[in-house]
Amino acid sequence: MATVPAPVITATNLVKKYKDFAAVDGISFEVAPGESFGLLGPNGAGKSTTMRMVGAVSTRTSGDLSVLDLDPNQFGPEIRSQLGVVPQSDNLDAELRVRDNLIVYGRYFGLPIGRVKARADELLAFAQLEDKAKSKVDDLSGGMKRRLTIARALINDPRILLLDEPTTGLDPQARHILWDRLFRLKEQGTTLVLTTHYMDEAEQLCDRLVVVDKGTIMAEGSPAALIREYSSREVLEVRFGSEKNAEVAGRLEGIGERVEVLPDRILVYSDNGEAELVRITERGLHPITSLVRRSSLEDVFLRLTGRSLIE
Amino acid sequence: MISTDSRLVASVSRLRPMRSLYAGNATSVMQRGWLATRSSNWLVILSGFFEPIFYLLSLGIGLGSLVGAVTTSTGHAIPYAAFIAPALLATAAMNGAVYDSTWNVFFKMHFAKLYQGMLSTSLGPLDVALGEILLALLRGALYAVGFMIVMQALGLTLSWWALLALPAVLLIAFGFASFGMGITSYMKTFQQMDWINFIMLPMFLLSATFYPITVYPEWIRWFIQAMPLWHGVELVRGLTTGDVNIAMLWHVLYYLVMIVLGLILTTRRLRALFLD
Ligand SMILES: Nc1ncnc2c1ncn2[C@@H]1O[C@H](COP(=O)(O)OP(=O)(O)OP(=O)(O)O)[C@@H](O)[C@H]1O
Ligand SMILES: [Mg+2]
């Protein structure tokens, strides 16, 4: 019988208040070693705040938190020495060259210079930045900066890598390169904790995730399980023009398992989208455009909160 | 300098439990600063170095030839250039230390997010404070040592006590660096930062730099004696002119208080800002 390994992160009723406002309002989760765990949620959900508490750079207001079996309130430096952190906005050292960024950062952990230098070269290769070793940080593209930040986070061979919106603001190609790098880390057994408001990113990278909104957890599970539980297999998207959508919605009684009316389109949840489209046209309704697609985490979020993930 | 560092580190480590404040790794912060100065503006650094030397040449030698001798606070008559040289030495230490610990720190704190990055490693706020302050001190010390060499070459060091002026300028630079960073860490806007210049210039001109403090009425004297530079000037002047007395330890104490206060302020502020 395989025993379940002890979690590397355990949060219980975690709360962070700024004055009276609860940015994180009682969330609980566990992350197993080697797992890739995601926090999915819209702007202001409390993702970054949670990450900062786990990263031992922000003290919780109440609740319990254990990271690598230590309490961040008491053992901040010990925890931080075993974490790699990729913050939401890059904070690379613009006064240092690319390779020096890695070396100096390694020295902050008190690591010997020889080891740091060797590791810096490995990581430059990993981040595909070898030919940029001597460049200024400001001369890198957004995607390169992000890769450098990830490389920097790996300089101390962390047991957990915390990634706060690793690909926000990058073009599709840069995102795919980054996902590929993160996937390799995952394969090597690094525990990843990442926040995102991209569904595709969560589906690509996360074994398990929590959907966060307004500081609380709305749902938890693997991407597939969440879709199964909170959505249907397929979604039919129909557009009747922004004026008519609301009016048409009233005549869709009995169509699909569930119907969501958005300002620009109507979503019909069903295991068979094509069949629903036929039933709609049989009622004499003719959408301007229609599209059948598989359910995604976006639909899960919509179901849970009644709002879109990206406004 | 290295001994100052390690002594300080030793005394700080006795203050444990401070595990979350200090990882004993301020040197990595200094190394970073040293690497970063490579990309900085050397013209600014050099001009800071030459400024007091130009003052010495123009006022000390030039004006000095008209003024003749000056009577010190303890009643000794010395050449004018020898009178102002130690004051300019203390000022050199101050300028070097303040440059790095105020504007540079302000920028790093608010724009470069440098400290945010540092404090997500195993460094503590005291490592960052100490590393930055010691680096600023080093700059002040470099200015001061250069100036001392010029003083020596011009025959303006009048006593063997002048050897002690070296640790004295280190102390002065440390005091200004520490207190400067402490103050700066609480500043939020450029306007507030301008206050530093607003205070530094009159302090330089009035702190018994160019004439004995006895020329002022009583109330101005009190005011000047409350300011840090006057203590530095008196301390260094006593040493380079060989006019040494036990009361000079008050000046030393003044700087020790500045150092400790600056370290406490900076550490607290860094923690509040980046480890809330
Ligand atoms: N230092 C702070 N002081 C006051 N309020 C804060 C502070 N940090 C965060 N907040 C508030 O807490 C809430 C959650 O912020 P947080 O940055 O955790 O959101 P997020 O989920 O990361 O959002 P985003 O996707 O925009 O990054 C927001 O309403 C934010 O305004
Ligand atoms: Mg965020």
Side-chain angles (χ1 to χ4, degrees), chain A residues 16 18 52 56-59 74 76-78 80-81 85 87 89-93 95-96 100 104-105 107-110 152, chain B residues 19-21 25 28-29 31-32 35-36 38-40 108 112-114 116-124 273-276:
Chain A
K16 177 75 185 185
Y18 293 107
R52 285 167 39 76
V57 291
S58 173
T59 47
Q74 285 170 39
E78 287 84 349
R80 292 198 297 271
S81 72
V85 179
S89 55
D90 288 319
N91 58 6
L92 293 163
D93 195 331
E95 289 182 283
L96 303 179
D100 288 339
V104 164
Y105 205 75
R107 298 290 285 163
Y108 295 157
F109 288 99
R152 190 185 69 171
Chain B
R19 197 85 186 83
S20 61
L21 293 182
N25 192 10
S28 68
V29 178
Q31 283 169 356
R32 181 263 159 212
L35 265 180
R38 282 205 215 146
S39 68
S40 61
K108 290 176 193 166
K113 293 195 196 152
L114 181 72
Q116 186 202 55
M118 286 181 173
L119 290 171
S120 51
T121 69
S122 37
L123 291 177
L273 283 179
F274 301 105
L275 298 170
D276 65 334

Side-chain angles (χ1 to χ4, degrees), chain B residues 217-274:
Chain B
E218 181 87 9
W219 67 274
I220 297 187
R221 248 186 267 172
W222 279 104
F223 181 72
I224 292 171
Q225 289 178 341
M227 304 293 275
L229 184 60
W230 178 78
H231 292 270
V233 170
E234 284 297 299
L235 181 61
V236 176
R237 185 173 282 149
L239 291 170
T240 58
T241 57
D243 196 359
V244 177
N245 59 60
I246 194 80
M248 282 162 64
L249 287 175
W250 287 111
H251 304 315
V252 174
L253 183 68
Y254 189 101
Y255 278 93
L256 290 177
V257 171
M258 268 176 97
I259 292 168
V260 172
L261 211 60
L263 279 172
I264 292 174
L265 283 177
T266 310
T267 305
R268 285 175 63 149
R269 185 63 177 162
L270 283 174
R271 189 162 65 159
L273 283 179
F274 301 105

Side-chain angles (χ1 to χ4, degrees), chain A residues 94-151:
Chain A
E95 289 182 283
L96 303 179
R97 308 263 156 176
V98 166
R99 184 166 177 266
D100 288 339
N101 255 278
L102 300 179
I103 294 172
V104 164
Y105 205 75
R107 298 290 285 163
Y108 295 157
F109 288 99
L111 302 171
I113 186 82
R115 188 173 138 205
V116 167
K117 281 186 172 165
R119 186 85 180 114
D121 291 328
E122 282 169 34
L123 288 169
L124 283 177
F126 171 79
Q128 295 165 308
L129 291 169
E130 288 136 308
D131 49 338
K132 298 281 176 191
K134 295 227 153 41
S135 302
K136 287 184 180 167
V137 166
D138 285 335
D139 294 341
L140 300 182
S141 72
M144 288 175 182
K145 278 188 187 152
R146 220 54 191 143
R147 263 150 42 211
L148 181 59
T149 307
I150 292 176

Side-chain angles (χ1 to χ4, degrees), chain A residues 44 47-49 88 164-165 195:
Chain A
K47 304 182 296 294
S48 297
T49 307
Q88 183 164 353
D164 197 351
E165 303 199 11
T195 75

Side-chain angles (χ1 to χ4, degrees), chain B residues 105-113 184-185 187-188 273:
Chain B
V105 162
F106 185 75
F107 177 77
K108 290 176 193 166
M109 214 149 213
H110 296 277
F111 303 101
K113 293 195 196 152
T184 302
S185 62
M187 303 255 171
K188 295 195 179 88
L273 283 179

Side-chain angles (χ1 to χ4, degrees), chain B residues 172-207:
Chain B
I172 293 167
F174 200 170
F176 276 104
S178 181
F179 196 67
M181 186 165 180
I183 298 277
T184 302
S185 62
Y186 282 86
M187 303 255 171
K188 295 195 179 88
T189 63
F190 282 104
Q191 281 83 351
Q192 292 172 333
M193 288 300 290
D194 282 332
W195 277 91
I196 292 179
N197 293 1
F198 187 75
I199 292 172
M200 293 259 299
L201 186 67
M203 188 159 75
F204 163 57
L205 292 174
L206 301 180
S207 294

